Every structure is written in structure tokens, then in C-alpha cells.
Amino acid sequence: MHPVLKLIAQRLALGVILLLAASVLIFVGTTILPGDVAQSILGQSATPQSLANLRAELGLNDPPVTRYFAWLGGVLQGDLGTALTNGRDIAESLGYRFRNTMFLAFWAAIISVPLAILLGLTAVRYRDRWPDKLISAITLTSISIPEFLIGYVLMFYVGVKLGWAPSAALINDSMTLGQKLNTIALPVTVLTLVVLAHMMRMTRAAILNVMQSAYIETAELKGLSVFEVIRKHAFPNAIAPIVNVVMLNLAYLVVGVVVIEVVFTYPGMGQYLVDHVSKRDVPVVQACGLIFAAVYILLNMVADIVSILANPRLRHPK
């Protein structure tokens, strides 16, 4: 088998193993939570008989291993179960929320990824000069401030004081694309600021590392401009670490939006998860946790595969 195909197969197998391990951790974590699920559903006034009946109905009396495999079997068949608090199908409820979360993450990525690469290239082009120092100062400031604080500041000044964008990002299917984009302007801005700094600094570091290579010096001796050297020689050879950091930040945009969705009351998976954690709705927490884990593992797998394909020594072994 070709070394590239072998490495890709290994990454895919590792991704499946990691997802299974994550499912075990999620199930164990929700199982050992203090409190009684039946009691939280029926309330303090429930009779012992009604509590016993509900525990039997939910399968809470079965051994944890039996419950885990029953839950995993349902997940593999596309059945995430029903919410304990309202009896609705979790997959159906999550479908709408997941689309909203991906919509928010997509527009944040569309803005942040090209901007981060452009700023990284600019910082390298003007290394140790005022553009580089200004970009570094702004990005360091944005990464040092907690995202919820940035969100509340933007909400107060941009949303309430200036009225340029809605302070609550409440979208629905009846809105046009333009209305949706206007509604999510503030959460997208916060997410962009949060991930932009990390991607920009890693892009800058990766290109600077390549710029120390001998072939870069040869390109400079040929009379190429600094920008041409960066664009044609440095950036293509620094693509692997840049893709890795971009994918990690894209994973954060999907998995780490919980705080932003709560701050802006955005109807996504993060808000849905927090709402049901407070109600101790275990099946919903398990489903959300597994989907977040799957997205994170998938994007990291994509980053690994792109890094493998971008390595010429692996593509063309001697």
C-alpha cells in the first residue's frame, strides 16, 4: 500500500477509536452526575411508586453497560432518543439547532480565515516594522479579553447605544439571508476576533520559519521581491501547519460557540445544550456532547489528512 494511503487509513481508524472513547466518557460523565433523573422530571412531590415506574420506563434500573450499548446502538441507527423534559425527538430538535450553529460558524470562518492569512502575510512582509507591531498588538489584545466580555461590550455599544445591529441574535427560517446576516453580525464579529489572533500568529510563525530556509535565500538572490518570495516560495511550503491551526480554530467555531450563543441568545446547539443541562435532561446532553466531539474529531482528522497530502516526501517516496 502507498505510504500516503496507509497514513490516511490510520488517521481514519484513529478517528473512529477516538469517537468511541469520547462516547464512553460522555456516557460515564452523565451517568455519575449527582441527583436523580426521575426526581428532577417528576419534581419533589412525586410518590415513590411513580418514581419507580419512571425509572423502569427510562431503563435507569439496568446496568450502565447495558444502557451504554443500547444508547450507542440507537445513535448508530440515527436515533438520539427523546428529550426527558418535553418528550420531543432529539434528532429533530437538534437538526434545526445544528444548522443554526453551522450557519454562524460558516460566516465567522468565511471572514476570519482569509483575514488571518492576509494579516499573517502582511506581518511577515513588514516584519519588525510598524504594521507588524500594530497587527500583533491588536491580535494579542483581542485574544487576551474573554469572549463573553467582548460580546457584552459590543452588545451594549454597537447594539444598544448605536443601534447598528440587533443585540439578540434571534434568527428564524422566515428571515431572508440579508436579515439573518444582520442579526448574527455581533456574534460573528466576536467569534472572528477570538479565532483571528491565533490563526494570524501561527501563519506568521510558520512563514517566518520557512523564510530561514536556504532556497528562500536563493530566491531572494534571484532578485524577487519580498512579497513574491513569500507568495511563491514561503507560503506554499508553510501550508501544512497553517491548515492545522485553521482546522483547530474551525473546530472551536463549532464546538466553542456555547458561550457566544448564550450571550446573544442564539438558537443554536450551545444554547440548546445549556438549557437542558440546567434541566438535567441527560439524553440531550449526551447527544450534544457526542455531536460536538464528532465535529471536533472530524475537523482534526481533515487537518491531519491535508498535512499528509501536503508533504511531498510522503507523496513521492524514494
Side-chain angles (χ1 to χ4, degrees), residues 61 71 156:
N61 297 326
W71 171 67
F156 180 73

Side-chain angles (χ1 to χ4, degrees), residues 243-244 247 296-308:
V243 167
N244 268 311
M247 285 299 173
Y296 193 85
I297 291 170
L298 175 64
L299 289 175
N300 276 276
M301 238 183 356
V302 171
D304 286 344
I305 291 172
V306 170
S307 297
I308 292 170

Side-chain angles (χ1 to χ4, degrees), residues 252-286:
Y252 172 79
L253 285 177
V254 178
V255 178
V257 295
V258 176
V259 174
I260 299 302
E261 288 185 359
V262 171
V263 168
F264 290 98
T265 60
Y266 183 77
M269 276 188 62
Q271 180 73 54
Y272 185 67
L273 173 63
V274 170
D275 288 344
H276 286 79
V277 164
S278 61
K279 299 172 185 175
R280 209 177 184 281
D281 199 329
V282 174
V284 172
V285 176
Q286 290 173 338

Side-chain angles (χ1 to χ4, degrees), residues 70-89:
W71 171 67
L72 185 62
V75 169
L76 293 176
Q77 296 175 19
D79 180 15
L80 298 177
T82 55
L84 300 179
T85 50
N86 53 27
R88 293 180 181 175
D89 182 67

Side-chain angles (χ1 to χ4, degrees), residues 6-268:
K6 183 178 180 181
L7 283 172
I8 291 174
Q10 288 175 349
R11 293 297 187 275
L12 292 174
L14 181 61
V16 173
I17 293 170
L18 286 174
L19 189 56
L20 284 173
S23 71
V24 172
L25 289 174
I26 290 166
F27 185 84
V28 171
T30 52
T31 300
I32 63 176
L33 287 173
D36 185 357
V37 175
Q39 189 80 62
S40 64
I41 295 173
L42 298 178
Q44 297 297 325
S45 59
T47 62
Q49 185 59 46
S50 61
L51 290 173
N53 292 338
L54 183 59
R55 290 191 191 101
E57 181 183 342
L58 297 175
L60 298 177
N61 297 326
D62 296 336
V65 175
T66 303
R67 284 188 283 132
Y68 168 74
F69 282 107
W71 171 67
L72 185 62
V75 169
L76 293 176
Q77 296 175 19
D79 180 15
L80 298 177
T82 55
L84 300 179
T85 50
N86 53 27
R88 293 180 181 175
D89 182 67
I90 295 175
E92 184 179 336
S93 299
L94 274 180
Y96 170 72
R97 301 275 185 163
F98 183 71
R99 286 197 304 272
N100 286 346
T101 294
M102 294 304 295
F103 181 76
L104 182 65
F106 171 78
W107 287 105
I110 285 292
I111 297 170
S112 61
V113 173
L115 186 58
I117 293 174
L118 178 62
L119 289 176
L121 292 173
T122 305
V124 173
R125 169 65 180 83
Y126 299 99
R127 182 185 178 187
D128 295 330
R129 293 160 65 181
W130 72 264
D132 180 24
K133 294 177 181 178
L134 179 63
I135 292 171
S136 296
I138 294 173
T139 52
L140 275 175
T141 301
S142 68
I143 204 172
S144 302
I145 302 174
E147 56 200 56
F148 70 88
L149 181 58
I150 299 175
Y152 283 126
V153 169
L154 288 179
M155 186 186 296
F156 180 73
Y157 285 103
V158 179
V160 177
K161 289 287 186 180
L162 299 175
W164 290 350
S167 55
L170 297 171
I171 66 170
N172 56 68
D173 292 335
S174 63
M175 289 180 169
T176 64
L177 178 60
Q179 290 173 329
K180 287 183 177 180
L181 292 177
N182 180 60
T183 303
I184 66 170
L186 292 184
V188 164
T189 302
V190 176
L191 286 172
T192 299
L193 289 173
V194 169
V195 300
L196 181 66
H198 190 213
M199 287 192 290
M200 189 285 296
R201 292 185 66 80
M202 287 301 296
T203 299
R204 179 183 182 276
I207 295 176
L208 285 177
N209 185 53
V210 173
M211 291 288 284
Q212 298 173 4
S213 304
Y215 62 86
I216 296 295
E217 187 175 341
T218 303
E220 290 173 343
L221 291 173
K222 288 180 178 179
L224 295 177
S225 66
V226 176
F227 183 75
E228 286 295 305
V229 170
I230 294 171
R231 185 177 67 86
K232 291 184 177 180
H233 299 279
F235 182 70
N237 287 284
I239 197 69
I242 292 173
V243 167
N244 268 311
V245 75
V246 166
M247 285 299 173
L248 283 172
N249 281 277
L250 290 182
Y252 172 79
L253 285 177
V254 178
V255 178
V257 295
V258 176
V259 174
I260 299 302
E261 288 185 359
V262 171
V263 168
F264 290 98
T265 60
Y266 183 77

